[in-house]
Amino acid sequence: MGQALSCGAADEHGLFAAVQRGDSDAVAAALLKDSSLIRRTTVYHRHSLLHIAAANGQIEMLSILLERCVNVDVLNRYKQTPLMLAAMHGKLSCLDKLIEAGANILMFEGVNGRTCLHYAAYYGHSDCLLALLAAAQTSSVSSSWGFPRFVNVRDRKGATPLHLAARQRRARCVHILLDSGGLVCASTHGYGYGYGYRLSNSTPLHMAAKGGCLDCVRELLAWGADRRQQDASGRIPYAIALRHRNGACAALLNPSSSEPLVWPSPLKFMTELNQEAKALLEKALMEANREREKAIFKKTSYSMPSPSPSDDNMSEWFLTSQANDADLCCICFDQTCTIEVGGCGHRMCAQCTLAVCCHNKPKPASYPEPVCPFCRRTIVRIAVAEPRNSWNSFSEGSSNSSFKGLSAATAASFRRMPSGGSDDIIDIEK
């Protein structure tokens, strides 16, 4: 559907065309002459003046009409509201104005039974998606539907906004919906792939496999999507990707390949994360999975654009860390400490924090609470670590004081020698 909404040829007063092009003077003059024109609709689609203004992003015109219009949720022929058309066409300013005027974000249209959230996700308008999710958290949604139900609302075929975003290759929208509580393994009950080929019990991962968006597949796998879950025809996402010749996606979805690291979203402390810390952990998660992908793609004809850091530049990592007065993680001796555990104050790099808190496949009912590897206290909160001036402060209060004096130059000189027996020999170069 295009970004402009046609008015049709049956506008004898030129009113619809004036609204479409934003001619406020012409519209004001017409309404002053005959106030009943505010209720006029186009002949076939039954678009009101509000529909046309919202779909075409005419925010000034929309404001003028809202001052004179009683029903902000007026319906067209397909039972679509002006808010739905604003979400469909990505007109954020009009969407915000309609929400401010009291537009109902819980209404369903008449063709596919979709909400404004479905439209924003399907057409990939992430800014509108965020605005609708924010409105759902502050409006009457919490007292009627509840926010989780709104995020996972289903259309007539059982598709959630996450299904539609994955099917349409909208990776940013997929991430936003997952981060807002979208159910990664929700199943449809009859969603069609087209060409007369219909499947039910399809997950968002099935949709992403069909769409062929590698970033969507990555996001869904990182949030715990099950590669072995079958649709009603017994097909797993891997089979769908092969059918549609999406080879790179098929390589990641192959059940015989290694499992990805999964974001531990069900854990209580993950909802209490400092946003900056959360961003660091998400980046570490994706980097860890990229390393896994390189090993998978190495066995196929696909290759990753950016190689991983080699052992040759390891010294540069240490020297850079020392120059920046940053602490090296006492678990991996590789990354700088960026995450601090609330309560005990011990520090780790984002990769090691993620390893402590993550599981390959999430089973929320059986999740043990993660514990600090230094003092064994339960981790209930983590935040971004403030920079310190020396290494000695890292292990303060922990039993790992033997690592305190390790300098960047010394750490960089460690190398592993080939072993002639069963034990490895660690040698320090002069």
Side-chain angles (χ1 to χ4, degrees), residues 146-259:
F147 184 74
R149 183 184 173 191
F150 176 75
V151 175
N152 295 287
V153 60
R154 296 177 180 272
D155 66 14
R156 193 164 292 147
K157 296 177 181 177
T160 66
L162 183 59
H163 282 98
L164 301 183
R167 172 62 184 85
Q168 294 301 114
R169 304 168 58 91
R170 314 297 189 185
R172 173 64 178 155
C173 292
V174 166
H175 177 82
I176 291 171
L177 290 166
L178 288 170
D179 194 41
S180 301
L183 297 177
V184 72
C185 289
S187 295
T188 64
H189 51 254
Y191 193 84
Y193 283 128
Y195 307 104
Y197 180 61
R198 304 183 69 81
L199 294 177
S200 58
N201 294 337
S202 297
T203 66
L205 194 58
H206 285 94
M207 302 295 186
K210 196 274 178 183
C213 178
L214 203 57
D215 285 336
C216 290
V217 170
R218 286 189 181 113
E219 287 284 349
L220 292 166
L221 290 177
W223 284 80
D226 188 356
R227 295 183 298 178
R228 291 180 171 83
Q229 188 165 344
Q230 299 179 357
D231 60 26
S233 298
R235 294 177 175 86
I236 60 176
Y238 172 65
I240 301 296
L242 287 179
R243 174 184 175 86
H244 293 276
R245 300 181 181 180
N246 297 321
C249 292
L252 299 186
L253 294 170
N254 191 337
S256 64
S257 63
S258 60
E259 293 277 1

Side-chain angles (χ1 to χ4, degrees), residues 77-313:
R77 181 186 183 122
Y78 312 104
K79 296 186 179 179
Q80 295 167 324
T81 65
L83 182 66
M84 292 176 187
L85 294 192
M88 177 191 297
H89 295 280
K91 306 303 182 183
L92 179 61
S93 59
C94 290
L95 183 138
D96 287 337
K97 185 67 177 178
L98 288 165
I99 292 175
E100 181 184 338
N104 187 355
I105 64 176
L106 304 181
M107 294 184 70
F108 295 87
E109 49 90 3
V111 179
N112 295 301
R114 293 175 180 171
T115 65
C116 51
L117 197 67
H118 284 103
Y119 280 122
Y122 184 90
Y123 289 98
H125 302 305
S126 57
D127 52 353
C128 292
L129 195 70
L130 288 169
L132 290 169
L133 291 170
Q137 290 176 318
T138 58
S139 70
S140 59
V141 174
S142 57
S143 60
S144 56
W145 282 23
F147 184 74
R149 183 184 173 191
F150 176 75
V151 175
N152 295 287
V153 60
R154 296 177 180 272
D155 66 14
R156 193 164 292 147
K157 296 177 181 177
T160 66
L162 183 59
H163 282 98
L164 301 183
R167 172 62 184 85
Q168 294 301 114
R169 304 168 58 91
R170 314 297 189 185
R172 173 64 178 155
C173 292
V174 166
H175 177 82
I176 291 171
L177 290 166
L178 288 170
D179 194 41
S180 301
L183 297 177
V184 72
C185 289
S187 295
T188 64
H189 51 254
Y191 193 84
Y193 283 128
Y195 307 104
Y197 180 61
R198 304 183 69 81
L199 294 177
S200 58
N201 294 337
S202 297
T203 66
L205 194 58
H206 285 94
M207 302 295 186
K210 196 274 178 183
C213 178
L214 203 57
D215 285 336
C216 290
V217 170
R218 286 189 181 113
E219 287 284 349
L220 292 166
L221 290 177
W223 284 80
D226 188 356
R227 295 183 298 178
R228 291 180 171 83
Q229 188 165 344
Q230 299 179 357
D231 60 26
S233 298
R235 294 177 175 86
I236 60 176
Y238 172 65
I240 301 296
L242 287 179
R243 174 184 175 86
H244 293 276
R245 300 181 181 180
N246 297 321
C249 292
L252 299 186
L253 294 170
N254 191 337
S256 64
S257 63
S258 60
E259 293 277 1
L261 199 61
V262 172
W263 180 252
S265 55
L267 294 177
K268 179 178 182 294
F269 87 97
M270 282 298 174
T271 63
E272 301 172 359
L273 284 183
N274 172 289
Q275 285 301 313
E276 193 177 351
K278 186 174 184 179
L280 284 172
L281 286 181
E282 286 184 340
K283 184 182 179 198
L285 173 67
M286 289 303 174
E287 287 177 353
N289 282 336
R290 291 284 181 135
E291 292 301 313
R292 160 189 165 270
E293 289 175 17
K294 289 172 187 174
I296 294 174
F297 287 132
K298 191 174 181 180
K299 301 176 183 178
T300 67
S301 59
Y302 303 96
S303 60
M304 299 300 291
S306 56
S308 60
S310 62
D311 293 336
D312 297 336
N313 59 14

